[in-house]
Amino acid sequence: MGRKARIDQEELVRLAAEGWTNARLAEHFGVTESGILQAKRSAGLSKPMTDHSRALPWKLRREHSQSGPATNLRNLSAATQGRPVPKDKLNTALRWASRLVDNGLDIAYDPERGFHEVPAGDDSHVARILAEAREAADAAGTTP
C-alpha cells in the first residue's frame, strides 16, 4: 500500500480559484476526484450540502428517488433552507403540497409501493413541510 498523497491546501485554493476542474486537480495531486472533494471541503472551498432528511425522512429506493413527490419535497426543502429553486419548480411543489393539504391528505412512503396519498392526521408531514417553505419564502420576500 502506497503512502497517502499530501494535498497542499494553499496550492489547492490557488488552483481552484484559477478554475481548475476536479479531474485536473486530482491528476495534479495524484489523488482521486473524491480525494479532491474531501480536500476542498476541509479547505472550506465547497458549499455545504443541502440536507433534505427532514422533508424526506424515509430511505428511498432508487426507483422512487426521482418521483414527483420526492422531487417536490426536495424543492420545498431547498426553499426552506434558502437555496435557489427555479420558480416553476417551486410553484409546482407548492401547488402539489397545497392540493394535498386542502384535501385533507398527506404523503406516506413504502419501499414496495413508493409514495402514496393517505388521510392526513394531526401531524401532517406535507402540511408541516409546506408551512416551513411558505414561512421561509415570506421571510426572504420570494413568495411566488
Side-chain angles (χ1 to χ4, degrees), residues 24-106:
R24 187 174 176 198
L25 290 166
E27 185 177 322
H28 176 75
F29 288 109
V31 299
T32 63
E33 287 187 51
S34 176
I36 291 298
L37 292 172
Q38 290 174 8
K40 281 182 160 183
R41 265 194 300 280
S42 87
L45 295 176
S46 58
K47 297 177 187 169
M49 291 184 61
T50 306
D51 179 6
H52 299 301
S53 61
R54 185 164 165 75
L56 288 163
W58 311 278
K59 174 78 172 137
L60 302 184
R61 288 178 57 172
R62 182 174 301 247
E63 61 265 29
H64 303 141
S65 66
Q66 297 303 315
S67 66
T71 299
N72 287 329
L73 288 168
R74 263 193 306 280
N75 285 334
L76 292 171
S77 172
T80 298
Q81 296 176 59
R83 300 287 190 187
V85 179
K87 190 174 183 176
D88 61 323
K89 293 183 185 303
L90 181 56
N91 282 335
T92 297
L94 289 168
R95 278 194 314 272
W96 169 80
S98 295
R99 178 189 62 80
L100 290 174
V101 171
D102 292 348
N103 288 296
L105 297 171
D106 200 0

Side-chain angles (χ1 to χ4, degrees), residues 113-134:
R113 288 179 62 189
F115 286 98
H116 51 280
E117 296 175 3
V118 296
D122 291 337
D123 186 26
S124 168
H125 180 71
V126 170
R128 180 173 43 80
I129 298 302
L130 175 61
E132 290 171 2
R134 284 182 173 156

